[in-house]
């Protein structure tokens, strides 16, 4: 009678268990890291929300990460009554700069990126390399030269001083060029030309719908960038009536000792974040659907 050695069977079973356990541990580690980064990102937002619900007397005497004496509506009323309602004007200015600048910037980026991707002309690669180099330069480096240029043509302290620099986006041109080259088929453009369509009609009716995911991304990035811009409006604008909400809130923070309550500034900062959240929630549906369609292609 022969006996079967059970050791190889046990070893095979342990190896199979380890093979099943390793992916689970790997996924658990990834989720743990993602959870840590999510908490790190959301804690300041949570603190801002909680603090905006407290009045001046409870800001520093209660737990900063939990609610106490809910006075959000009173704080919001005080924000819009401060300095004769200047906060509403700041929000309107930020909306004009951001929506107008992001819209024009998206259109210009789409045109430039499409031309660089689909037309052959002398200096195309050099032009694209220059644009790519401009992506690597921080925006803050352009603030002082722009101020000197606009002061020569008397555009300082006007809406144009903030709007005109906002319509230029090297990153938008770069993304449009990459996306147009990868997603817009040359055969589709040739078919449009054979049907007698003009180059402008082909761009607007054929290329633009295909490029829509990239354009939504460009608009969202540019909108957030313009809304959060601080240095350029600070240099260009002297009038309180023209300032965006970022500069206005900074002035309120500096004026705490001059009678502006600290809770008013915090509540104003909380209100200034809401348009960014709304823009992301509204546009993410188009963003996700477009990216999924591009992956299928």
């Amino acid at each position: 009678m022969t006996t079967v050695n059970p050791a190889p069977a046990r070893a095979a079973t342990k190896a199979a268990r380890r093979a099943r356990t390793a992916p689970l541990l790997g996924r658990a580690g990834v989720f743990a890291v993602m959870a840590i980064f999510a908490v790190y990102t959301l804690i300041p937002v949570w603190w801002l929300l909680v603090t905006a619900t407290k009045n001046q007397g409870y800001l520093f005497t209660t737990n900063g990460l939990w609610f106490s004496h809910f006075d959000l509506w009173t704080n919001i009323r005080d924000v819009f009554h401060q300095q004769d309602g200047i906060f509403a004007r700041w929000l309107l200015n930020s909306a004009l700069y951001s929506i107008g600048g992001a819209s024009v910037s998206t259109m210009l980026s789409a045109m430039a990126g499409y031309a660089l991707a689909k037309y052959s002309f002398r200096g195309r690669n050099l032009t694209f390399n220059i644009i790519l180099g401009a992506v690597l330069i921080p925006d803050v480096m352009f603030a002082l030269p722009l101020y000197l240029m606009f002061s020569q043509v008397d555009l300082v302290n006007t809406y144009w001083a903030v709007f005109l620099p906002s319509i230029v986006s090297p990153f938008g041109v770069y993304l449009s060029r990459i996306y147009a080259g990868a997603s817009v088929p040359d055969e589709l453009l040739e078919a449009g030309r054979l049907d007698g369509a003009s180059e402008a009609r082909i761009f607007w009716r054929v290329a633009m719908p295909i490029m829509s995911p990239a354009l939504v991304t460009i608009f969202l990035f540019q909108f957030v960038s313009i809304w959060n811009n601080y240095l350029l409006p600070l240099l260009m604008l002297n009038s309180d009536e023209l300032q965006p909400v970022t500069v206005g809130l900074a002035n309120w923070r500096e004026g705490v000792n001059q009678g502006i309550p600290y809770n008013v500034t915090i509540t104003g900062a909380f209100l200034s974040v809401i348009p960014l959240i709304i823009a992301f929630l509204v546009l993410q549906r188009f963003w996700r659907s477009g990216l999924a369609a591009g992956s299928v292609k």
Side-chain angles (χ1 to χ4, degrees):
M1 181 177 181
T2 59
T3 59
V4 179
N5 187 1
R10 287 197 297 268
T13 302
K14 291 181 180 179
R17 289 177 181 174
R18 286 195 297 268
R20 289 194 300 266
T21 306
L24 295 177
L25 293 176
R27 286 196 294 268
V30 171
F31 284 130
V33 173
M34 293 175 60
I36 292 173
F37 278 101
V39 171
Y40 176 79
T41 304
L42 293 176
I43 280 180
V45 180
W46 176 255
W47 178 89
L48 185 63
L49 171 62
V50 170
T51 308
T53 64
K54 301 178 182 180
N55 61 28
Q56 182 71 10
Y58 296 98
L59 284 180
F60 305 105
T61 58
T62 58
N63 186 355
L65 295 178
W66 197 246
F67 300 96
S68 175
H69 302 84
F70 191 87
D71 287 319
L72 177 61
W73 310 121
T74 302
N75 292 340
I76 293 176
R77 182 196 61 194
D78 294 341
V79 167
F80 284 98
H81 286 172
Q82 191 74 29
Q83 293 185 354
D84 298 325
I86 191 67
F87 184 78
R89 182 61 180 266
W90 291 341
L91 285 178
L92 178 61
N93 292 339
S94 292
L96 291 175
Y97 295 140
S98 301
I99 297 176
S103 300
V104 177
S105 175
T106 302
M107 290 298 101
L108 294 179
S109 297
M111 295 177 184
Y114 174 80
L116 289 171
K118 295 302 176 181
Y119 293 116
S120 297
F121 54 89
R122 181 177 298 177
R124 183 179 69 168
N125 292 333
L126 177 61
T127 303
F128 180 70
N129 289 334
I130 293 174
I131 294 173
L132 187 59
V135 174
L136 305 178
I137 301 177
D139 293 339
V140 93
M141 300 290 292
F142 297 105
L144 184 57
L146 285 172
Y147 175 80
L148 297 176
M149 291 171 56
F150 285 173
S151 63
Q152 296 294 323
V153 292
D154 297 328
L155 287 180
V156 174
N157 201 34
T158 65
Y159 277 107
W160 298 106
V162 177
F163 177 77
L164 290 179
S166 301
I167 66 176
V168 179
S169 174
F171 173 76
V173 177
Y174 166 76
L175 185 59
S176 295
R177 194 265 186 189
I178 297 300
Y179 199 88
S183 64
V184 180
D186 293 334
E187 295 80 7
L188 197 59
L189 305 182
E190 290 297 333
R193 296 186 182 106
L194 291 175
D195 289 340
S198 64
E199 294 296 328
R201 185 179 180 85
I202 292 173
F203 172 73
W204 290 107
R205 304 298 292 272
V206 177
M208 283 285 286
I210 299 176
M211 296 173 60
S212 58
L215 301 186
V216 172
T217 303
I218 294 169
F219 179 88
L220 187 59
F221 271 81
Q222 194 68 0
F223 180 89
V224 173
S225 176
I226 298 172
W227 187 277
N228 292 330
N229 195 1
Y230 172 77
L231 182 60
L232 183 65
L234 180 65
L235 288 176
M236 295 292 185
L237 305 176
N238 298 323
S239 173
D240 288 341
E241 300 295 325
L242 300 176
Q243 290 174 351
V245 69
T246 51
V247 179
L249 288 174
N251 292 337
W252 275 3
R253 177 64 187 88
E254 295 176 357
V256 167
N257 296 329
Q258 283 77 38
I260 299 178
Y262 196 77
N263 64 311
V264 169
T265 304
I266 293 177
T267 306
F270 170 71
L271 294 176
S272 69
V273 175
I274 294 178
L276 300 179
I277 299 175
I278 294 174
F280 179 79
L281 294 178
V282 170
L283 295 177
Q284 71 169 346
R285 178 169 62 89
F286 303 98
W287 193 9
R288 288 181 177 179
S289 62
L291 290 177
S295 64
V296 172
K297 293 176 185 178

